[in-house]
Amino acid sequence: MFDFEGVPVEAYEGESVAVALYALGVDVFSWSHKLKRPRGPFCMIGKCSNCFMSINGLPNVKSCRIPVKDGLKVERQRGWVAPEAIHLMDKHSEIVELNPDLLIIGGGPAGLEAALTASNYGLNVVLVDEHFKLGGQLLKQTHKFFGNVELFGGMRGFQIAEEYSRKISELRNVQVLTNTVVYGVFRGGVVGAINESKHYIIKPRAVIAATGAQERYLDFQNNDLPGVIGAGGAQTIMNEFGVKPGEKSIVIGSGNVGLIISYQLLQSGVEVKGVVEILSEIGGWFVHAAKIRRYGVPVFTRHALKYVEGNPRVQKAVVAAVDDKLNFVPGSEKEFDVDLVLLAVGLEPDARLHAQAGAVMKYIPELGGLVPIRTRDLETTVVNMYVAGDSSGIEEATTAILEGKIAALSIVSKLCDGSRAENASSTLEKTLRFLWDEYRSSPLLTRARRGKEQATVPREELEDFRKKFPSPISFG
Amino acid sequence: MNTVKFRLTGVIELRELKELGLLPPEERLKKGPVAILECPEQIPCNICVPYCGLKAIKMDKITDIPRVDWDKCTGCGLCVAVCPGLAAFVVDLSRNDYDYVTLPHEFLPVPRLGETVTLLNRRGECVGEGVVVRLWEKNKTRVVTVRVPKGLGLEVRAIWVEKKQ
Amino acid sequence: MGGEKTVIICRCNDVTLDDVLTAIHEGIDDFELLRKYLKIGFGPCQGRSCIMIAARIFAKEKGLSIEDVLRNYRIRPPIIPVSSKYFIHGDNS
């Protein structure tokens, strides 16, 4: 039971405040600062600002990151609210200093595999994750994984998260900090992280920032209406928390995410009026498209979303055909009455922490945006700061696992000595060969592979970059 | 690689399956249940290979298209249960009264033995009604064998179970 | 396209496509200046949803590559909103 604007409401333990309110039928989560426009949830994983609420009097709190508790007082906000003075004086945040061998930022597939690998070689690891559960996006993936059996192939995403969490909990040399956010990297190799009551000052010998990605937003009329939601956001609501996200939906984008979300919407009993794809060809793998075509979901290729309408929640989506210069064809509009518009128009790597630490970045469209330059071992131009998973460039969970392993093995071969270092180096070579020569040889991964090739430089070139664009920050 | 037709529509034609060597020959189809893996792209995935009890599926590299040894395959349906892409099916065209299709089903309500269900083809069009004759489950994927009108064994690829009011 | 006023580019600070296009046509020819002038990416999400859209629009209007547009784009700590309580210590602060 918690209090929502004076009304006592019920929720299931383990739900976030945002999901609980969504399940209760709350459409409007906040009103925007300047234009007072109603806003609903978009990403549901703490990357955007639509679900900010005042919780127990403290304003601007991400309600999608706060687990429900008895006695919580939750109120919606109109724009940004300045905290009253008493919050500033609320000084119970205790400083905790940690000096692990390896700090891993992000408990998704890359971070989890890195933690397991490094721990097996005896390194002391601190693993930090924003969510109150480990697994990153695995938690909401109810589809079975591809790949091979060793890489969890055949298991469902959330089952992989459970297995990783179980293994990690048995490791004495891995300290897990959930509901904890890294806010910056500073001179002297210091990383700052905060959670509800503690302020962590962490000085690791090496860092793997596996901070994942965020869903790309799209510019069309009324794109901020409640009910316009990221496909991953809807997955969180449906698959992680078992709440039906709407009644009638339309999915924008036919990449693997758009196709898989359409199938999972059908499983939740939501009608999917169609998948809209701007190119002339379906984006994702054929098997994912076949799964929804045989249940009657049409795919409108060479079409794009023109605008949506609704008050306050979305009620109508208008889609139109596009010519080969991707301009709308006049008079080709199709109207859909929907209460849910899912944006699956691609992910962007979230490599802000690497950029903030002074790593040399490069904009690579094949990888979805700005990523750090790195060696084959995934070390960036910031000494001993590594990147792995979607933050190194958008690809797949299986490659994220492999990259997490590669980064950890490279660090072990540096920090350890003797047989442990040799073993790590040989395993590293084997993993790199499997990733590049076999797994990424698939013609379906050529785009991501080309992107990662552009981002990967030989060791000497990395050293040049370090001389030309030195970062004041380094680790080790 | 010029864009093959099934990438434009998300629907593969029998002709395309045959060209890719994914369709068993006529005589094998007549002999009894056999697996058809509608997996035409070089996805980096080989889950079906280790799970096939008779080692009837072969792949050299993880990115190869699966090759089924149709004489070894008995149509047991384990590949249908484990395929992450839900692309594996088993068809039995050997009877003269009905055809039988084994397909993956991950929707509620769960069908029951003997229940009449709606039959859907690769385009999601209803092609008639069928009866559930065999049903088992592995990791939340229901493997359903459904009896379909003669001649539809290579068309039916999904079922829909009406919710009881 | 009449609706530029209802196309939101930056959700945190309510910057619309109309604001962006107007600023560009008024002569703002540097992306960093545009960002600071309209406060794009300065809100709590720190540009996670808006920077790429704004950069793409600016690049298209100015005929630049996105790499050029983002050349001076810097990310500074804190990369997420942090309550000042974490930095206030001691009894008489």
Side-chain angles (χ1 to χ4, degrees), chain B residues 94-164:
Chain B
S94 62
R95 315 290 173 77
N96 36 40
D97 49 0
Y98 292 98
D99 285 347
Y100 292 81
V101 178
T102 304
L103 47 85
H105 187 70
E106 292 182 334
F107 288 86
L108 295 177
V110 177
R112 288 189 308 283
L113 268 182
E115 187 170 5
T116 301
V117 293
T118 309
L119 302 175
L120 302 171
N121 64 12
R122 292 185 184 84
R123 292 179 191 287
E125 293 150 348
C126 169
V127 289
E129 288 192 333
V131 175
V132 175
V133 298
R134 182 167 166 247
L135 176 68
W136 54 285
E137 181 252 343
K138 180 173 169 51
N139 194 9
K140 291 287 189 297
T141 300
R142 296 222 157 53
V143 182
V144 179
T145 303
V146 63
R147 189 185 73 196
V148 306
K150 194 63 191 161
L152 291 185
L154 294 176
E155 292 311 314
V156 169
R157 284 300 172 266
I159 58 169
W160 196 255
V161 185
E162 286 316 322
K163 287 189 173 53
K164 303 288 174 297

Side-chain angles (χ1 to χ4, degrees), chain A residues 309-456:
Chain A
E309 278 167 4
N311 179 19
R313 181 168 180 149
V314 67
Q315 286 151 348
K316 180 166 80 168
V318 176
V319 167
V322 290
D323 59 26
D324 33 17
K325 284 196 285 310
L326 302 187
N327 298 319
F328 286 117
V329 171
S332 68
E333 285 76 8
K334 284 190 182 71
E335 283 193 12
F336 295 92
D337 70 334
V338 290
D339 62 346
L340 197 60
V341 175
L342 296 127
L343 300 187
V345 288
L347 297 169
E348 257 164 55
D350 186 355
R352 317 185 73 72
L353 210 52
H354 308 87
Q356 186 262 300
V360 171
M361 307 290 284
K362 186 169 169 51
Y363 178 77
I364 300 178
E366 290 89 343
L367 296 180
L370 279 169
V371 289
I373 299 285
R374 77 302 295 263
T375 60
R376 239 163 54 104
D377 297 359
L378 300 171
E379 186 180 10
T380 66
T381 55
V382 175
V383 175
N384 273 353
M385 183 174 192
Y386 284 68
V387 65
D390 271 359
S391 52
S392 84
I394 303 304
E395 207 173 3
E396 290 176 4
T398 311
T399 49
I401 290 171
L402 291 167
E403 286 191 340
K405 187 171 187 168
I406 287 164
L409 287 169
S410 169
I411 289 169
V412 166
S413 63
K414 269 190 190 169
L415 300 187
C416 304
D417 46 24
S419 64
R420 277 189 305 172
E422 277 138 33
N423 181 296
S425 311
S426 72
T427 316
L428 174 59
E429 279 316 311
K430 251 190 297 160
T431 313
L432 281 167
R433 263 201 309 283
F434 174 73
L435 174 58
W436 284 98
D437 304 342
E438 208 174 317
Y439 197 88
R440 279 185 177 146
S441 68
S442 157
L444 294 156
L445 294 177
T446 5
R447 188 172 150 74
R449 178 198 174 92
R450 236 194 355 261
K452 302 240 160 154
E453 277 161 357
Q454 288 172 52
T456 307

Side-chain angles (χ1 to χ4, degrees), chain A residues 17 58 69 80 128 163 259 316 377 384 399 405 459:
Chain A
V17 169
L58 184 66
K69 262 191 302 219
W80 310 128
V128 174
E163 176 148 341
L259 298 173
K316 180 166 80 168
D377 297 359
N384 273 353
T399 49
K405 187 171 187 168
R459 171 61 59 181

Side-chain angles (χ1 to χ4, degrees), chain A residues 111-342:
Chain A
L112 290 166
E113 181 65 25
L116 272 187
T117 308
S119 152
N120 287 345
Y121 284 89
L123 292 188
N124 287 322
V125 178
V126 167
L127 173 62
V128 174
D129 192 280
E130 271 183 292
H131 197 26
F132 44 88
K133 284 187 275 187
L134 285 180
Q137 305 325 303
L138 292 175
L139 290 168
K140 60 191 177 191
Q141 291 170 349
T142 52
H143 50 278
K144 287 185 276 195
F145 262 53
F146 293 73
N148 56 32
V149 178
E150 297 74 30
L151 286 164
F152 307 102
M155 281 173 71
R156 296 182 186 280
F158 66 93
Q159 295 167 327
I160 299 170
E162 279 158 12
E163 176 148 341
Y164 267 126
S165 299
R166 189 180 46 74
K167 280 189 189 157
I168 296 266
S169 62
E170 290 155 6
L171 299 173
R172 278 185 329 286
N173 54 357
V174 177
Q175 179 180 359
V176 175
L177 306 176
T178 49
N179 226 334
T180 306
V181 186
V182 168
Y183 60 85
V185 181
F186 303 94
R187 284 176 208 276
V190 177
V191 179
I194 50 169
N195 79 4
E196 187 55 34
S197 58
K198 293 198 179 59
H199 185 174
Y200 293 98
I201 307 294
I202 308 167
K203 272 179 70 70
R205 296 170 65 193
V207 174
I208 298 177
T211 39
Q214 68 244 359
E215 296 201 84
R216 192 171 293 163
Y217 196 45
L218 198 59
D219 42 338
F220 53 89
Q221 283 167 46
N222 296 326
N223 54 350
D224 64 334
L225 278 185
V228 175
I229 191 166
Q235 268 186 316
T236 298
I237 294 171
M238 271 190 307
N239 302 342
E240 191 177 342
F241 295 106
V243 173
K244 192 175 175 186
E247 294 306 328
K248 294 171 290 187
S249 67
I250 188 158
V251 175
I252 312 298
S254 75
N256 278 346
V257 172
L259 298 173
I260 287 173
I261 186 80
S262 304
Y263 179 76
Q264 288 166 0
L265 285 166
L266 293 176
Q267 288 181 310
S268 313
V270 178
E271 183 191 351
V272 181
K273 303 232 169 181
V275 176
V276 176
E277 169 57 47
I278 197 163
L279 300 180
S280 56
E281 176 188 320
I282 290 172
W285 296 353
F286 163 75
V287 289
H288 289 312
K291 259 166 44 177
I292 58 170
R293 283 308 314 274
R294 60 177 179 249
Y295 289 107
V297 176
V299 178
F300 303 108
T301 49
R302 299 192 74 102
H303 276 75
L305 179 65
K306 203 166 184 186
Y307 62 90
V308 296
E309 278 167 4
N311 179 19
R313 181 168 180 149
V314 67
Q315 286 151 348
K316 180 166 80 168
V318 176
V319 167
V322 290
D323 59 26
D324 33 17
K325 284 196 285 310
L326 302 187
N327 298 319
F328 286 117
V329 171
S332 68
E333 285 76 8
K334 284 190 182 71
E335 283 193 12
F336 295 92
D337 70 334
V338 290
D339 62 346
L340 197 60
V341 175
L342 296 127

